[in-house]
Amino acid sequence: MATITLGGNEIETIGNLPNTGDTAPDFNLTAQDLSSKKLSDFKGSRVVMNIFPSIDTGVCATSARKFNEEASKLDNTKILCISKDLPFAQKRFCAAEGINNLEMLSDFRDGNFGKNYGVDMTTGAFQGLHSRAVVVLDENGKVIHSQLVPEIGEEPNYQAALKPLL
């Protein structure tokens, strides 16, 4: 379990992010077309998982925009934006923002991603949603960077997340 804050108020998560060097846990998430996506679908590519509570909040939307912009500069890298938002909301956001360099994935069906990656918030106003985090994987699914953002209202450290990929 990790402790983060929302507006200075302490919130607990269900666990901890995978550590650098760990093999990332598999997942089964829902794409915008309602198909299932697993970690194995991205094998051979480097992966940046931008995890957040909801695309309909300012900081979450900003992180999606920034990672979308950076994605075109990275070779053999897939950017995944992961939340419990419905795929319909994710699709609406991408269409409105002209976002096409990343993949939005939803954990709304079984919620196991949030449990397996330790990002589900178990207390506070956003209980049940994902905390803000970034997990970066190499081509073999090994974690090469992870950050649990200590304050939900803050953006992740983009430079630290992208540095291992440059």
Side-chain angles (χ1 to χ4, degrees), residues 59 77 91 109 139 144 151 153-155:
V59 177
T77 303
K91 187 173 185 177
R109 284 200 170 129
E139 295 88 342
I144 56 175
E151 165 60 44
E154 295 176 0
E155 294 178 56

Side-chain angles (χ1 to χ4, degrees), residues 14-162:
I14 199 164
N16 294 298
L17 286 176
N19 294 309
T20 300
D22 289 351
T23 297
D26 200 6
F27 56 71
N28 186 14
L29 297 169
T30 305
Q32 291 179 25
D33 64 1
L34 301 179
S35 65
S36 292
K37 292 287 186 170
K38 297 180 180 206
L39 182 58
S40 58
D41 294 330
F42 303 99
K43 188 173 174 95
S45 295
R46 302 179 305 174
V47 174
V48 176
M49 290 186 257
N50 177 32
I51 306 160
F52 50 79
S54 175
I55 196 62
D56 287 323
T57 64
V59 177
C60 301
T62 297
S63 70
R65 286 185 206 104
K66 286 192 179 181
F67 277 119
N68 181 64
E69 182 181 315
E70 293 299 323
S72 62
K73 303 173 190 173
L74 301 170
D75 292 329
N76 192 33
T77 303
K78 303 291 185 190
I79 308 284
L80 312 180
C81 287
I82 302 169
S83 67
K84 288 192 177 178
D85 290 303
L86 292 175
F88 314 111
Q90 294 173 335
K91 187 173 185 177
R92 174 187 35 80
F93 173 82
C94 288
E97 296 285 332
I99 289 181
N100 53 18
N101 293 325
L102 52 79
E103 194 161 344
M104 291 279 195
L105 298 173
S106 177
D107 190 25
F108 86 101
R109 284 200 170 129
D110 64 19
N112 283 331
F113 175 88
K115 292 176 183 81
N116 294 339
Y117 280 79
V119 296
D120 275 356
M121 291 182 272
T122 59
T123 61
F126 286 180
Q127 182 177 351
L129 296 176
H130 296 331
S131 56
R132 185 175 319 287
V134 177
V135 178
V136 182
L137 310 177
D138 69 11
E139 295 88 342
N140 300 310
K142 295 277 186 193
V143 177
I144 56 175
H145 171 80
S146 64
Q147 178 199 14
L148 179 63
V149 179
E151 165 60 44
I152 295 171
E154 295 176 0
E155 294 178 56
N157 184 335
Y158 302 106
Q159 289 180 335
L162 299 173

